[in-house]
Amino acid sequence: MNPPKTTNELMQRCQALAGLTLGQLARQLGAAVPANLKKDKGWAGQLIEQALGASSASKAEPDFPHLGIELKTLPIDQHGKPLESTYVCVAPLTGLTQQRWQDSWVCQKLSHVLWLPLLAERSIPVAERVIGTGFLWRPDAREMQLLQQDWEELMDLITLGGIDQIRGTHGQVLQLRPKAANSRALTSAYGTSGQPIKALPRGFYLKTAFTQQVLRKVFC
């Protein structure tokens, strides 16, 4: 699918997906549906990206770079509650001097988001999970302030060598968690004395309480 030329075209494609099951969409795209997502955790999101024409892959830019819009698939239960935290991007662990929030990958990814809810309770077979109604979102002043505050505090901890002290409880809306296929996938970081160390890659995630508030603003 070619990238959409306009935001209107993107939203028309998004509306066409609402109500479809993943199995129906997979048939349209000629894709095989995995029996479960234990080894294919990102499969649903990748399928939807393909259907909408997302083009950035894992680059440091939004999924629709020419529109400045990031796509986030949001698994929810039947009550509309997010089932998991939302991955934003990889966290830089080195070369952090003078990095500003406005220039950060997190800020660029979250400045304009197309949220696409997905009814995805574990009891529902993968092929029968239903795509919901997508919507565009920009953080308001308070949301942006909270995101910036958490990002700055987490980046300060990384810079000061506190990478191993960071827990998922840090941050009001944004958290930092290990992001690696296994415990052997290490990357460079800084220790408490500024010495080079090896650590698990980390990723930024939006907490479920925050994404639930985003949903409530739109649907309640």
Side-chain angles (χ1 to χ4, degrees), residues 65 90 136 200 220:
V90 170
L136 290 172
L200 286 171
C220 295

Side-chain angles (χ1 to χ4, degrees), residues 104-180:
S104 72
W105 196 356
V106 175
C107 183
Q108 293 178 45
K109 289 273 189 179
L110 297 180
S111 292
H112 199 185
V113 179
L114 169 56
W115 289 103
L116 198 58
L118 176 68
L119 182 58
E121 291 177 332
R122 290 183 180 178
S123 60
I124 304 173
V126 174
E128 296 175 21
R129 297 178 184 182
V130 181
I131 301 168
T133 301
F135 62 93
L136 290 172
W137 169 81
R138 291 181 186 272
D140 61 27
R142 178 181 173 277
E143 291 166 335
M144 189 64 86
Q145 182 182 17
L146 288 171
L147 289 165
Q148 179 175 351
Q149 182 178 314
D150 283 352
W151 179 87
E152 289 176 345
E153 289 179 0
L154 290 166
M155 294 304 291
D156 282 346
L157 284 169
I158 294 172
T159 303
L160 295 172
I163 183 70
D164 290 330
Q165 280 73 53
I166 298 175
R167 300 291 180 263
T169 52
H170 281 92
Q172 296 184 66
V173 298
L174 193 67
Q175 62 183 183
L176 194 72
R177 299 214 319 262
K179 175 73 174 175

Side-chain angles (χ1 to χ4, degrees), residues 20-28 31 33 43 47 126-129:
L20 290 180
T21 65
L22 292 179
Q24 289 170 327
L25 181 58
R27 283 195 293 275
Q28 288 183 13
V33 180
W43 177 83
L47 185 76
V126 174
E128 296 175 21
R129 297 178 184 182

Side-chain angles (χ1 to χ4, degrees), residues 6-209:
T6 65
T7 300
N8 283 340
E9 184 180 353
L10 171 60
M11 294 313 295
Q12 287 172 1
R13 292 184 186 182
C14 192
Q15 289 163 11
L17 299 185
L20 290 180
T21 65
L22 292 179
Q24 289 170 327
L25 181 58
R27 283 195 293 275
Q28 288 183 13
L29 298 176
V33 180
N36 61 68
L37 300 181
K38 290 180 180 178
K39 293 183 179 179
D40 300 282
K41 185 170 173 52
W43 177 83
Q46 292 165 6
L47 185 76
I48 291 170
E49 287 177 1
Q50 182 182 347
L52 294 177
S55 60
S56 83
S58 58
K59 297 176 185 175
E61 60 187 12
D63 290 308
F64 303 94
H66 55 300
L67 302 177
I69 295 174
E70 173 77 359
L71 172 66
K72 289 297 178 192
T73 303
L74 185 60
I76 59 172
D77 66 15
Q78 59 182 326
H79 304 294
K81 183 179 179 180
L83 293 170
E84 59 190 39
S85 55
T86 301
Y87 175 67
V88 180
C89 62
V90 170
L93 302 183
T94 58
L96 308 176
T97 54
Q98 297 183 326
Q99 188 169 106
R100 302 186 310 156
W101 161 250
Q102 292 80 1
D103 302 323
S104 72
W105 196 356
V106 175
C107 183
Q108 293 178 45
K109 289 273 189 179
L110 297 180
S111 292
H112 199 185
V113 179
L114 169 56
W115 289 103
L116 198 58
L118 176 68
L119 182 58
E121 291 177 332
R122 290 183 180 178
S123 60
I124 304 173
V126 174
E128 296 175 21
R129 297 178 184 182
V130 181
I131 301 168
T133 301
F135 62 93
L136 290 172
W137 169 81
R138 291 181 186 272
D140 61 27
R142 178 181 173 277
E143 291 166 335
M144 189 64 86
Q145 182 182 17
L146 288 171
L147 289 165
Q148 179 175 351
Q149 182 178 314
D150 283 352
W151 179 87
E152 289 176 345
E153 289 179 0
L154 290 166
M155 294 304 291
D156 282 346
L157 284 169
I158 294 172
T159 303
L160 295 172
I163 183 70
D164 290 330
Q165 280 73 53
I166 298 175
R167 300 291 180 263
T169 52
H170 281 92
Q172 296 184 66
V173 298
L174 193 67
Q175 62 183 183
L176 194 72
R177 299 214 319 262
K179 175 73 174 175
N182 57 65
S183 60
R184 298 185 301 276
L186 301 177
T187 188
S188 297
Y190 298 119
T192 53
S193 302
Q195 77 278 18
I197 63 170
K198 290 295 182 180
L200 286 171
R202 299 304 204 273
F204 285 109
Y205 292 79
L206 293 175
K207 295 190 173 185
T208 55

